[in-house]
Amino acid sequence: MAIGLSRRLVALALGALLVAVACSPSAGSSVTSGGVVTLHALFQQQAGYSNDEVNAMTAAFEAANPNIKVQTEFVAYEALHDKIVTDQVGGSGIYDTVLMDTIWPAEFANAGIVRDLTDELPAAFKSGVFTSAFAGGEYQNHFYGVPWLNDTEFLFYNKAMLAKAGFTAPPTTWAELVTQAKALKAQGIVQYPFVGQWAQSELVVCDWTTMAAGMGGASFFDAQGKPTFNGGGPLAALQLMVQMKQDGLANPASLGYGSDDVRNVLIAGQAAFGTDWTYVYAASNDPAQSKVVGQLGIAPAPGGATNGGESLAITRSTKYPAESLKYLLFLASQAQQEKYTENALPMWKASFDSPALTTTDPALWAAAKVAFDEMVSRPAVPYYTALSNALQVGLQKALTGELTPQAALDGVAAQVPTLEKQ
């Protein structure tokens, strides 16, 4: 969950940044000391690529560019958003590049925190990368980040459990998943067939969005900006989540679970189904931590899934925009991404046609090729952090039975005019 600062603080950051950029003679230039530039790059811990993999990519970049050094820093996702905003207040932050979640471009662009890279991205990116990868840095047809991590939720399923219940293939709709889950429970194969990321965090919004995509479509606002998430697919998805919990199909502990918790339940062989991110698949086949090596299947989530991509952005306060862009393009290059595919798959379409890569694990690559074309985005609004926080509370109230799904979502929709002003 991104714990957002107030809109007032973001507005102060915008004003200070504009003054600093306008008045500083070094802004937008590449001032070096002793011929060597040192960049400061802020990343999220285990955002697809591991810390060691990011540092290995960085070392390769430094070897190819001896006049540029990079100091990397990694923080938990929960701290990343506010650390970026706080750093940029006053226009003199220490970070030159930052990892930007797909839900932040609108806020960061409006606040002047990150640079517009629309005219600086090479043509190869625009033609060679999955369109979904660009959503991680796009706002109002402008790109504020270099596409880097293309990730989404997948449906993980226990092949042995399904076979024992007489099923030969995983579900392709949520209705079919419920049918299979009921059979698994009735036969005593598993107490709680499904496990979800339903803790009061950004992850419950992701799971809800994924289910909405397959339950009529993840529509959040109409063309006039009026909330639609209290009807259609989003309402049907929340009703399904509540019903699965009431019927004992979803593990009640899901209400406190994040992605690592779901991973642990799946690889312990304690659930037949779960929605989680790409990295879970590698963990499931690691004998050191998994009890279901070779048994956990992976498939596209029914009807589409949440876009969990992230991009690499350049701050407005950097003195080294050219060197920063060079570094980010190196990290995002096809050559670099194809070196590290254990925890994240490349965002390059051509990579999925490479036998040298895809034959290592055909099921994973096949599922991702479909999923990367079906991803759905959460709302691109400047007040997303405030909206998400309200949705998290509303979703939890429905899941705990405090409110009906309709009342919970209606309550959040009624808050939108106020959230826009925060």
Side-chain angles (χ1 to χ4, degrees):
M1 173 180 65
I3 307 171
L5 299 182
S6 69
R7 292 284 294 281
R8 181 180 178 187
L9 178 53
V10 173
L12 288 173
L14 172 57
L17 277 168
L18 293 177
V19 171
V21 171
C23 298
S24 172
S26 61
S29 63
S30 296
V31 181
T32 63
S33 175
V36 176
V37 166
T38 299
L39 303 178
H40 295 266
L42 181 64
F43 292 91
Q44 173 194 334
Q45 293 173 1
Q46 191 63 49
Y49 300 106
S50 69
N51 297 6
D52 288 342
E53 289 171 335
V54 174
N55 284 331
M57 294 180 192
T58 300
F61 172 78
E62 291 177 328
N65 300 272
N67 65 318
I68 306 175
K69 301 300 178 185
V70 184
Q71 293 184 5
T72 59
E73 181 181 344
F74 300 86
V75 298
Y77 176 80
E78 291 78 6
L80 183 61
H81 171 277
D82 288 1
K83 192 172 185 68
I84 294 170
V85 174
T86 303
D87 176 72
Q88 290 299 298
V89 171
S92 57
I94 66 170
Y95 299 113
D96 299 281
T97 71
V98 295
L99 185 66
M100 182 169 63
D101 196 1
T102 187
I103 53 180
W104 300 337
E107 176 188 349
F108 286 5
N110 272 6
I113 288 174
V114 294
R115 298 172 64 91
D116 188 341
L117 303 178
T118 305
D119 297 329
E120 300 182 54
L121 294 177
F125 272 79
K126 296 177 180 179
S127 62
V129 167
F130 279 101
T131 302
S132 56
F134 280 96
E138 183 181 3
Y139 176 56
Q140 293 185 342
N141 298 317
H142 285 256
F143 300 105
Y144 295 89
V146 175
W148 188 51
L149 180 66
N150 210 25
D151 201 6
T152 187
E153 289 189 321
F154 290 91
L155 176 65
F156 293 95
Y157 60 97
N158 189 298
K159 292 183 283 188
M161 288 184 181
L162 264 63
K164 189 174 181 179
F167 299 109
T168 58
T172 57
T173 67
W174 286 102
E176 188 179 358
L177 184 145
V178 168
T179 297
Q180 293 189 3
K182 286 181 176 179
L184 288 160
K185 188 176 182 70
Q187 295 178 40
I189 295 172
V190 61
Q191 183 178 10
Y192 299 114
F194 183 86
V195 60
Q197 309 169 86
W198 294 357
Q200 189 173 312
S201 72
E202 183 62 32
L203 290 170
V204 70
V205 179
C206 292
D207 261 22
W208 171 60
T209 301
T210 291
M211 288 190 174
M215 296 287 292
S219 171
F220 295 97
F221 292 92
D222 63 19
Q224 289 72 45
K226 181 179 178 181
T228 57
F229 55 76
N230 54 338
L235 175 59
L238 184 54
Q239 290 170 334
L240 173 64
M241 294 164 73
V242 170
Q243 193 64 52
M244 289 175 69
K245 177 176 174 288
Q246 291 176 347
D247 292 346
L249 302 181
N251 191 324
S254 296
L255 272 67
Y257 279 172
S259 58
D260 286 348
D261 302 302
V262 170
R263 174 202 62 192
N264 292 339
V265 171
L266 287 168
I267 67 177
Q270 297 173 350
F273 305 108
T275 45
D276 213 329
W277 310 94
T278 308
Y279 82 110
V280 172
Y281 195 62
S284 74
N285 292 313
D286 179 2
Q289 55 181 316
S290 175
K291 294 182 180 179
V292 294
V293 173
Q295 296 180 30
L296 198 66
I298 183 171
T306 300
N307 189 330
E310 296 177 323
S311 63
L312 298 167
I314 301 174
T315 64
R316 285 284 296 273
S317 65
T318 182
K319 296 182 176 69
Y320 311 119
E323 290 84 355
S324 295
L325 182 62
K326 191 172 187 179
Y327 172 55
L328 300 188
L329 291 175
F330 182 89
L331 294 185
S333 67
Q334 184 176 342
Q336 284 300 305
Q337 291 207 336
E338 289 185 352
K339 287 182 180 180
Y340 304 98
T341 60
E342 181 177 356
N343 296 302
L345 296 182
M347 61 184 180
W348 296 87
K349 291 179 284 188
S351 300
F352 287 75
D353 296 322
S354 169
L357 294 173
T358 59
T359 54
T360 58
D361 202 324
L364 171 62
W365 287 84
K369 188 173 184 178
V370 173
F372 285 177
D373 266 338
E374 294 182 343
M375 289 196 285
V376 294
S377 295
R378 287 157 282 173
V381 293
Y383 59 96
Y384 180 81
T385 299
L387 173 64
S388 176
N389 288 338
L391 282 169
Q392 293 165 31
V393 172
L395 294 173
Q396 278 276 310
K397 286 183 176 180
L399 289 168
T400 58
E402 182 177 342
L403 293 174
T404 66
Q406 185 71 70
L409 294 179
D410 283 347
V412 179
Q415 296 179 51
V416 166
T418 302
L419 297 176
E420 291 177 321
K421 300 174 183 177
Q422 288 184 4

